[in-house]
Amino acid sequence: MAKLDKRSEIVRAAVQIIADQGFHGSPMAMIAERAGVAAGTIYCYFESKDILIKELYREIEGKLLEALRVGYQTERPIRERFLHLGINFLKYFVAHPLESKYMEQFHNSPYGVDLRRGRFAKEFKDDDLLYLELFEQGVAQQVIKDLPTILLFALAFGPVITLTRDHILGFIELDDALIEKTIAACWDGIKR
Amino acid sequence: MAKLDKRSEIVRAAVQIIADQGFHGSPMAMIAERAGVAAGTIYCYFESKDILIKELYREIEGKLLEALRVGYQTERPIRERFLHLGINFLKYFVAHPLESKYMEQFHNSPYGVDLRRGRFAKEFKDDDLLYLELFEQGVAQQVIKDLPTILLFALAFGPVITLTRDHILGFIELDDALIEKTIAACWDGIKR
DNA sequence: CCACATTGAATGACCATTCATTCAATTCCA
DNA sequence: TGGAATTGAATGAATGGTCATTCAATGTGG
């Protein structure tokens, strides 16, 4: 069925272009051209550019979540689980630069604000829950500092986000050893 | 002299509007209106929108650097200096939401990428140098983890950036106590 | 009266979205 | 089965809106 084919060509093209030009540098006409379809065709699959952008995010987020869950065991100690998630997180982004750049664009835009607003309103996504649960248990077990969850998020994710950016821009080569050291340092930041 | 007056009205208006609408949501015509001048007048003071944006950044950065230097003493221990800088950093942003939002917009845009590219090319700014020196000394004295400087930056600034954002969006109220705890946690992340 | 500051309408680009039209594939019917 | 009718995916030129920037005209302080 050519229908799915075109859709996925559009998705591929859109992620590629948006990842390195940003939303404003990615006219629908350009996406269409890269996908090998006409401008109007995109609207057969996505109501608007806005909806296309959100849909791409959902697909990428899904794949990331999958990567995070691989080998994740709820019964392991807090620290090990934290390291597992953090390391998988960074490794996923290093292995998937396009997706990584896309998420970066998404988060640093009004879309990202909406996302955060949703979290603030307790509309958590699956990956939020993974961390939320971890932090709550960690605080209860007194292995993690007793700070507001949002602050723990900042301490745990802030360095990862910043570092991912530096990696994307080619400022640092992240190999497995460095990734592990980084996440270990993040743990030092939140552990009691 | 009305000339300086108009210039600073333009600056004020531009920072206000860009801070909460972003660069794309801030047409020159709107900035002009808020400043009480005609659209063309802006071009008497700034060659282009691009130059206006960079100039605003320079002015804000200057004020931030000033705030960081107040009470900073090179002869104090590494940890104390780190806490001093980090705490002043966060306090400045909490006290100056407009500047804070403007910097956020700036960093999350192609301008921010240029900035980072400059750092990567060793074109450091004064505030970079402040931290750079601190990290180098800390590593030499074996009180800070022996990691690449860029990674130390990420560990130290990542949480601050993330948290500033959350504060801007009203997701957390940062009082002095919380600020101190946050920076202390960042220190835990980089200390040996 | 002049040099200079200011004005704001006009210009030219750029872009998301629309929609009349095309046409290949499918359905229908004799 | 063969040919006509129907469908709806795909197209891409046209539309309408937004904006940065320009510049001829106007205002003004010295």
Side-chain angles (χ1 to χ4, degrees):
Chain A
M1 173 70 70
K3 201 170 166 185
L4 286 181
D5 221 44
K6 298 226 165 170
R7 200 195 121 102
S8 59
E9 276 310 304
I10 292 167
V11 167
R12 180 210 310 288
V15 171
Q16 269 182 23
I17 294 178
I18 293 174
D20 70 56
Q21 319 259 14
F23 300 120
H24 291 285
S26 307
M28 294 296 260
M30 191 187 289
I31 293 172
E33 194 189 17
R34 176 90 55 108
V37 301
T41 308
I42 298 178
Y43 291 85
C44 296
Y45 298 94
F46 303 95
E47 268 185 56
S48 65
K49 188 176 185 176
D50 208 69
I51 285 176
L52 167 64
I53 288 169
K54 289 177 188 159
E55 180 57 29
L56 295 177
Y57 180 76
R58 246 174 266 122
E59 296 196 8
I60 291 174
E61 192 191 34
K63 289 196 281 175
L64 167 64
L65 182 57
E66 221 175 297
L68 286 187
R69 287 212 194 273
V70 172
Y72 186 72
Q73 294 168 290
T74 319
E75 61 278 1
R76 309 299 321 259
I78 302 289
R79 175 169 184 276
E80 277 183 44
R81 280 194 277 159
F82 179 82
L83 294 181
H84 175 98
L85 289 180
I87 289 170
N88 277 27
F89 211 98
L90 263 183
K91 282 189 182 171
Y92 179 83
F93 281 131
V94 169
H96 301 85
L98 278 185
E99 280 83 350
S100 176
K101 288 187 199 179
Y102 186 91
M103 289 210 116
E104 151 101 354
Q105 300 281 3
F106 192 89
H107 282 123
N108 297 319
S109 75
Y111 300 107
V113 175
D114 287 347
L115 201 70
R116 286 167 162 265
R117 212 179 296 290
R119 269 206 270 265
F120 186 56
K122 312 285 188 213
E123 294 156 8
F124 295 109
K125 313 213 144 199
D126 291 353
D127 36 352
D128 297 334
L129 288 174
L130 224 51
Y131 273 96
L132 201 58
E133 192 195 40
L134 189 62
F135 288 154
E136 276 172 6
Q137 290 179 13
V139 171
Q141 292 177 27
Q142 314 214 350
V143 290
I144 290 182
K145 293 185 173 94
D146 188 9
L147 295 170
T149 310
I150 196 167
L151 216 163
L152 293 175
F153 264 106
L155 290 168
F157 280 112
V160 172
I161 292 166
T162 302
L163 204 60
T164 304
R165 238 195 247 183
D166 290 336
H167 177 262
I168 285 169
L169 294 173
F171 298 165
I172 186 172
E173 188 57 40
L174 283 177
D175 55 23
D176 287 2
L178 218 44
I179 287 177
E180 280 164 29
K181 283 185 196 171
T182 303
I183 303 300
C186 290
W187 171 257
D188 290 342
I190 65 168
K191 80 148 186 270
R192 234 179 204 278
Chain B
M1 174 69 69
K3 199 166 168 189
L4 286 181
D5 222 42
K6 296 221 166 171
R7 199 194 122 102
S8 60
E9 276 310 304
I10 291 168
V11 168
R12 180 209 313 286
V15 172
Q16 270 182 20
I17 294 178
I18 293 174
D20 69 58
Q21 319 260 13
F23 300 119
H24 290 286
S26 307
M28 294 298 260
M30 192 187 287
I31 293 172
E33 194 189 20
R34 175 90 54 109
V37 301
T41 307
I42 298 179
Y43 291 85
C44 296
Y45 297 93
F46 303 94
E47 268 186 56
S48 66
K49 188 176 186 178
D50 207 70
I51 285 177
L52 167 64
I53 287 170
K54 289 178 187 158
E55 180 57 29
L56 295 177
Y57 179 76
R58 246 175 264 124
E59 296 195 9
I60 291 174
E61 192 191 34
K63 288 197 282 177
L64 168 63
L65 181 59
E66 223 175 296
L68 286 188
R69 287 211 193 274
V70 171
Y72 185 71
Q73 294 167 290
T74 318
E75 61 278 4
R76 307 302 318 262
I78 303 289
R79 176 170 184 275
E80 276 183 44
R81 281 193 277 158
F82 179 83
L83 294 182
H84 175 97
L85 290 179
I87 289 169
N88 277 28
F89 211 99
L90 264 184
K91 281 189 181 170
Y92 179 84
F93 282 131
V94 169
H96 301 85
L98 278 186
E99 280 84 351
S100 176
K101 287 187 200 179
Y102 186 90
M103 289 210 114
E104 152 101 355
Q105 300 280 2
F106 192 88
H107 283 124
N108 297 318
S109 75
Y111 300 107
V113 174
D114 288 347
L115 202 69
R116 285 166 163 265
R117 211 178 297 288
R119 270 207 269 265
F120 185 57
K122 312 285 189 211
E123 295 156 7
F124 295 111
K125 314 211 142 201
D126 291 353
D127 34 353
D128 296 332
L129 288 175
L130 224 50
Y131 273 97
L132 202 58
E133 191 195 40
L134 190 62
F135 288 154
E136 276 173 7
Q137 291 179 11
V139 171
Q141 292 177 27
Q142 311 214 350
V143 290
I144 290 182
K145 293 184 173 95
D146 190 9
L147 295 171
T149 311
I150 197 167
L151 216 163
L152 292 175
F153 264 106
L155 289 168
F157 280 111
V160 172
I161 292 167
T162 303
L163 203 60
T164 304
R165 239 196 247 183
D166 290 336
H167 177 261
I168 284 169
L169 294 173
F171 298 166
I172 185 172
E173 188 57 41
L174 283 177
D175 55 23
D176 286 1
L178 217 44
I179 287 177
E180 281 164 28
K181 282 185 198 170
T182 302
I183 303 299
C186 289
W187 172 255
D188 291 341
I190 64 167
K191 80 147 186 267
R192 234 180 204 278

